[in-house]
Amino acid sequence: MQIDLQHEHDWEVTPDEAKRIQRRLASQVRETPLPNTIDTVAGVDVSVRDDVGQAAVAVLQVPGLEVVDEAIHRSEVPFPYVPGLLSFREMPAVLPALRQLGTEPDVLVTDSHGRAHPRRFGLACHMGVLLDRPTIGVAKSILVGDPRGDLGVENGSRVPLVEDGETVGTVLRTRTDVNPVYVSVGHRCTLDEAAELMLDCSPTYKIPEPTRQAHRLSREKV
């Protein structure tokens, strides 16, 4: 996969400097329609053990959701775990993994938040802005915001995730009677499109298949 970073910066920075970078780049996030045709969606995930991160990317065909490409990269993770600063911990391992791909995915999906973030710039936004590619964040828990309304128990039910009067994401039920996921815009997509695509990518499990496959790959021994 061809990578041309749009806004290069250091990764080994202090938490305060990391927050300043997030605030500066948050203005670059664009909420625009996805491409009319989406053939491939890539899930991205990182597993960290003993300060070594294994980043994994799984590219799936759409529809069908067959894995058509995948990549792994292992590297040290010097940045500490700080809530809201996940991208500084994981992106240095993710970028080399993406470079290994022989496929140019149409959409990237991260196991993290996008705009549903204290500075409206979670890992999905950071990745999307740096690569200038459509990116969606899908998280398993809330970082900021509260669900607005009662979420139905049926597959496909959704309600807004709202903080300070701003809709920052969608609470999405991908499986009937199963806990929801939290979808937010990363870059170059709309929230409704992101939710619809993630629902289409979740035919069997709660977690969308691209990030589920990436998580499996991130935990494999290499």
Side-chain angles (χ1 to χ4, degrees):
M1 172 177 168
Q2 180 66 37
I3 289 181
D4 297 308
L5 295 183
Q6 304 299 303
H7 304 274
E8 293 197 51
H9 60 75
D10 290 336
W11 294 102
E12 294 188 28
V13 296
T14 65
D16 285 344
E17 177 59 23
K19 292 175 184 177
R20 285 193 287 271
I21 291 170
Q22 288 180 330
R23 293 188 185 99
R24 174 169 57 85
L25 293 180
S27 63
Q28 302 300 314
V29 174
R30 303 205 311 276
E31 298 192 23
T32 55
L34 287 171
N36 291 330
T37 301
I38 296 175
D39 295 320
T40 51
V41 177
V44 180
D45 195 21
V46 180
S47 293
V48 179
R49 306 180 190 87
D50 300 323
D51 292 327
V52 175
Q54 181 160 301
V57 186
V59 183
L60 277 62
Q61 193 77 39
V62 178
L65 300 178
E66 300 92 357
V67 176
V68 296
D69 198 0
E70 58 186 30
I72 290 175
H73 178 79
R74 299 187 73 186
S75 61
E76 291 186 0
V77 179
F79 197 89
Y81 174 76
V82 180
L85 298 179
L86 187 65
S87 59
F88 288 86
R89 185 167 169 82
E90 296 190 353
M91 282 286 288
V94 168
L95 293 174
L98 290 171
R99 287 190 176 97
Q100 294 178 36
L101 293 177
T103 305
E104 295 279 341
D106 297 313
V107 180
L108 298 168
V109 183
T110 68
D111 180 23
S112 65
H113 291 283
R115 298 288 273 176
H117 179 274
R119 290 166 292 282
R120 306 295 185 262
F121 199 73
L123 192 153
C125 294
H126 209 151
M127 182 181 302
V129 166
L130 288 189
L131 303 178
D132 194 24
R133 291 175 179 266
T135 310
I136 298 168
V138 182
K140 296 184 282 292
S141 60
I142 293 175
L143 184 59
V144 297
D146 297 291
R148 182 65 55 85
D150 296 324
L151 182 67
V153 299
E154 299 84 8
N155 172 353
S157 298
R158 69 184 75 167
V159 296
L161 183 66
V162 178
E163 186 189 38
D164 296 332
E166 179 185 358
T167 297
V168 296
T170 293
V171 184
L172 177 65
R173 186 94 66 188
T174 54
R175 307 298 302 157
T176 297
D177 266 337
V178 173
N179 287 338
V181 295
Y182 304 92
V183 179
S184 56
V185 169
H187 187 54
R188 288 177 55 184
C189 66
T190 67
L191 186 54
D192 283 345
E193 287 178 316
E196 288 291 341
L197 181 58
M198 291 303 94
L199 191 60
D200 290 343
C201 287
S202 308
T204 307
Y205 300 96
K206 163 186 167 176
I207 304 301
E209 197 63 15
T211 48
R212 195 182 78 85
Q213 291 292 341
H215 179 71
R216 172 193 60 78
L217 193 61
S218 75
R219 299 184 68 82
E220 286 188 358
K221 293 182 179 180
V222 294

